[in-house]
Amino acid sequence: MAPKHSNSNHPSKGDLPRTWAAQTLAFAAAVGDTRPVTCVGGQTHWSLAGTADSTADRVSAPSGVVDVLPEEMLVRVGAGTPLVELAQALFAVGQQVCLPQDADPLATVGGALAVGHGGRLQLKLGPPRDSVMEVTYITAQGQISKSGGPVVKNVSGFDMCRLLVGSFGTLGFISEVVLRATPIPAVSQWLVGPPQALDPQTPEVDQSATSLQTLLHAPASLLYTPTQTYVLLEGHAMDVKNEATMLGTQGFEPVSQGPTLLPHRISCRRGQEYRAGVDSGVDFVALGGVGVVTSTHPGPKPRIDSVAASLNRRLKQHFDPTGRMNPGRDVLAGTVETDSAARGTLR
């Protein structure tokens, strides 16, 4: 069946180069509107959120950097584009986006967004969903739809940009995104120091982490491993030099790179990242101040409120009533549902 455009806010050939519009149409045609279908990227996080149905049709999103707008700090890119290709295109104009900077060469833009993994700069740049300004996606009905816009005030209705990030392709397949970029700083310097210390008298906060964030003006990244603490300083040369000198008095020394983030993700309260990593019982790299721990193996099963779990199921039913999009994947996979009554009814 030929792909259909949704009635509102759909891309046109006037908006995109003719060849790119053709790629989007071809992607929609491949997705179709009847058979179970799986969207495949670089498969670097293929083991997360359940097991993909091996009998489903396989499709891949369009690849390529469509347009870089350095003056507006925006980039339009196909979801199948390798992250390294996007990074190179932005580096040429002195900019970057909040997606993994140390990603596997096979990792794609759409894959990172579908999994919801940002890079090591989330403390500075925020989570990846905050950088998605516009998304073109294929619905379960085979329609080409668009949500968001380069100007925030243009957005109305469901914020599909945020819903699609971290949905593992279960609500729709991203074809193209517009991402907000930021300038690459004049100077960047990683430093490594002693591990964090846990204070048994104050189990609710990692004291060393809080001290570091208070000590520094605006660290770009704080990463904790079981045996070391990494700090990324960015900015003007003199500012970076002064903070690096101050950290030297705390046992830190320059290093060429920080650690690579690990495939599995554990969510926790901000300020408890190191403690959550230690409690997981596996090797970890925790993102200080972000509420995220990455690990070599899945950590303890996360608890999810029954109201939130119900909302997730209702969204899936609304956007994919036949369950044909990425069958076998489930954002609730591996979670433990808890009763919200113990904490009061959510409104």
Side-chain angles (χ1 to χ4, degrees):
M1 179 176 289
K4 300 166 285 185
H5 288 289
S6 59
N7 290 330
S8 61
N9 216 15
H10 61 267
S12 67
K13 291 185 179 180
D15 298 326
L16 303 174
R18 183 173 301 176
T19 54
W20 190 256
Q23 288 190 55
T24 305
L25 288 167
F27 182 43
V31 173
D33 62 357
T34 54
R35 291 175 53 80
V37 60
T38 294
C39 193
V40 181
Q43 301 187 52
T44 58
H45 289 76
W46 199 244
S47 62
L48 303 183
T51 303
D53 185 347
S54 61
T55 65
D57 295 342
R58 291 194 170 196
V59 297
S60 295
S63 176
V65 178
V66 185
D67 201 7
V68 178
L69 304 171
E71 298 84 3
E72 300 179 36
M73 290 196 291
L74 295 173
V75 57
R76 185 181 295 273
V77 60
T81 308
L83 289 172
V84 291
E85 182 180 332
L86 172 61
Q88 290 168 355
L90 288 172
F91 183 80
V93 296
Q95 295 181 0
Q96 61 186 349
V97 292
C98 184
L99 290 175
Q101 294 81 25
D102 56 345
D104 186 292
L106 296 176
T108 63
V109 172
L113 293 174
V115 174
H117 283 192
R120 297 179 295 184
L121 298 180
Q122 290 183 74
L123 181 62
K124 175 183 178 181
L125 302 181
R129 64 176 179 269
D130 290 350
S131 296
V132 181
M133 306 299 293
E134 177 184 297
V135 59
T136 300
Y137 64 101
I138 313 303
T139 70
Q141 293 73 39
Q143 296 179 335
I144 302 171
S145 190
K146 184 164 71 173
S147 177
V151 181
V152 175
K153 67 180 181 180
N154 288 345
V155 179
S156 62
F158 272 117
D159 189 350
M160 289 302 297
C161 294
R162 286 176 174 266
L163 280 177
L164 289 171
V165 174
S167 70
F168 288 90
T170 59
L171 304 179
F173 293 164
I174 300 173
S175 176
E176 173 195 304
V177 290
V178 175
L179 300 171
R180 182 176 64 235
T182 61
I184 296 175
V187 175
S188 296
Q189 177 64 66
W190 282 99
L191 296 100
V192 62
Q196 297 300 294
L198 296 177
D199 186 346
Q201 302 302 316
T202 55
E204 72 280 1
V205 176
D206 293 348
Q207 291 296 322
S208 300
T210 303
S211 175
L212 268 180
Q213 288 183 270
T214 303
L215 204 61
L216 300 171
H217 170 61
S221 184
L222 294 174
L223 301 180
Y224 314 134
T225 72
T227 59
Q228 293 175 309
T229 298
Y230 291 83
V231 178
L232 176 61
L233 303 176
E234 292 187 338
H236 296 293
M238 185 58 68
D239 295 333
V240 171
K241 179 180 179 181
N242 289 340
E243 290 205 319
T245 300
M246 181 270 298
L247 283 175
T249 66
Q250 308 294 315
F252 283 79
E253 59 184 16
V255 65
S256 61
Q257 265 295 344
T260 299
L261 300 186
L262 302 171
H264 294 277
R265 173 179 172 141
I266 303 169
S267 296
C268 63
R269 292 184 179 180
R270 292 186 182 184
Q272 294 189 5
E273 295 87 0
Y274 181 71
R275 185 178 300 276
V278 171
D279 291 346
S280 72
V282 297
D283 195 16
F284 67 89
V285 177
L287 287 82
V290 177
V292 171
V293 178
T294 66
S295 59
T296 52
H297 298 86
K301 289 185 176 181
R303 296 180 178 273
I304 184 169
D305 188 280
S306 59
V307 174
S310 175
L311 177 59
N312 271 278
R313 287 190 284 266
R314 287 162 56 194
L315 283 169
K316 175 64 173 175
Q317 178 63 29
H318 177 80
F319 288 104
D320 184 20
T322 64
R324 62 181 297 264
M325 307 297 275
N326 270 4
R329 301 292 186 196
D330 185 356
V331 295
L332 300 178
T335 62
V336 177
E337 193 170 326
T338 61
D339 188 354
S340 62
R343 297 193 303 276
T345 302
L346 295 180
R347 301 183 184 276

